[in-house]
Amino acid sequence: DTAVSQTPKYLVTQMGNDKSIKCEQNLGHDTMYWYKQDSKKFLKIMFSYNNKELIINETVPNRFSPKSPDKAHLNLHINSLELGDSAVYFCASSRTDGGLAKNIQYFGAGTRLSVL
Amino acid sequence: KNQVEQSPQSLIILEGKNCTLQCNYTVSPFSNLRWYKQDTGRGPVSLTIMTFSENTKSNGRYTATLDADTKQSSLHITASQLSDSASYICVVRSNDYKLSFGAGTTVTVRA
């Protein structure tokens, strides 16, 4: 019944590796997001996808690439991992149409990435 | 640059007491302001969302206020419980759909 689910919950890997984090939502939302939360707990948006179209792309390295096979999924691929990529990554989804209440973002539980 | 500043950075309160968290923002043009609660090891969960025309909104023991003129918001927690221990994040959305996040206030409720 989890609304926004992301896997894996924990990811430990070495520098230089390529990894992916998966995200799925069953809320029927049309927009999905990826956030990075650093050690100071600051949430920073990385990407958002609306109907398979990238609408926000903050200044993140091009080693990070979002992939959306369909409206319910937004996966995050990271190439050539670096130490500074260690953080918690959150997936979220929302509806962009309709009233204010439907703009609420629903977050996944997070993926804690540790790069050694 | 749009900014959202929250204070205090952290606070400790005794169970049953009240507390108030502050959020000041410079986001313009303003669309709405949200308060999220983030438990340790979990994703943020929405508590309240307010537009410029709303001065106050409640969700159980949580009451948010908004002064769009001074660009200030507060989140008041009444009769705190141990389960209120979490980070509380203020998020402001502009009319161009961009979200600006505060750094959060960490609340610790002690028995």
Side-chain angles (χ1 to χ4, degrees), chain A residues 22-82:
Chain A
K22 294 184 177 181
C23 179
E24 175 182 5
Q25 55 95 4
N26 62 7
L27 298 167
H29 288 166
D30 60 354
T31 305
M32 296 183 71
Y33 312 79
W34 275 105
Y35 289 86
K36 178 181 180 181
Q37 188 171 45
D38 59 26
S39 57
K40 295 183 178 180
K41 301 297 180 72
F42 216 125
L43 270 168
K44 180 179 179 180
I45 190 166
M46 301 177 71
F47 304 101
S48 73
Y49 256 79
N50 180 294
N51 291 324
K52 302 180 73 171
E53 181 181 356
L54 183 67
I55 59 174
I56 299 176
N57 186 354
E58 296 295 320
T59 54
V60 298
N62 56 14
R63 298 181 294 105
F64 292 81
S65 57
K67 297 283 195 306
S68 181
D70 54 58
K71 204 166 69 169
H73 296 82
L74 183 65
N75 303 324
L76 182 64
H77 297 270
I78 315 170
N79 296 325
S80 301
L81 278 157
E82 300 177 357

Side-chain angles (χ1 to χ4, degrees), chain B residues 22-42:
Chain B
Q22 298 292 338
C23 174
N24 297 336
Y25 62 92
T26 60
V27 175
S28 182
F30 174 84
S31 176
N32 59 64
L33 184 146
R34 309 126 182 255
W35 282 95
Y36 283 87
K37 177 187 179 188
Q38 184 176 17
D39 292 314
T40 301
R42 300 284 191 91

Side-chain angles (χ1 to χ4, degrees), chain B residues 64-85:
Chain B
T65 64
L66 173 65
D67 186 334
D69 292 330
T70 61
K71 298 188 175 182
Q72 295 179 327
S73 176
S74 66
L75 180 69
H76 187 76
I77 305 175
T78 303
S80 61
Q81 300 177 357
L82 295 178
S83 60
D84 293 330
S85 295

Side-chain angles (χ1 to χ4, degrees), chain B residues 1-20:
Chain B
K1 182 180 178 181
N2 290 330
Q3 285 191 330
V4 178
E5 301 285 341
Q6 291 187 241
S7 62
Q9 186 175 22
S10 62
L11 66 93
I12 300 172
I13 57 174
L14 292 177
E15 190 177 13
K17 298 296 185 182
N18 305 333
C19 69
T20 300

Side-chain angles (χ1 to χ4, degrees), chain A residues 9 33 35 37 40-45 56 58 90 96 100-101 103-110 112, chain B residues 4 32 34 36 38 41-46 49-51 54 57 87 89 93 97-99 101-103:
Chain A
K9 189 172 176 65
Y33 312 79
Y35 289 86
Q37 188 171 45
K40 295 183 178 180
K41 301 297 180 72
F42 216 125
L43 270 168
K44 180 179 179 180
I45 190 166
I56 299 176
E58 296 295 320
F90 287 98
T96 55
L100 183 62
N103 285 180
I104 294 173
Q105 291 184 324
Y106 293 81
F107 285 79
R112 183 173 294 278
Chain B
V4 178
N32 59 64
R34 309 126 182 255
Y36 283 87
Q38 184 176 17
R42 300 284 191 91
V45 174
S46 178
I49 181 169
M50 294 183 290
T51 63
E54 297 176 289
K57 183 163 283 189
S87 288
I89 303 170
R93 190 181 119 170
Y97 297 102
K98 289 192 174 180
L99 295 173
F101 286 76

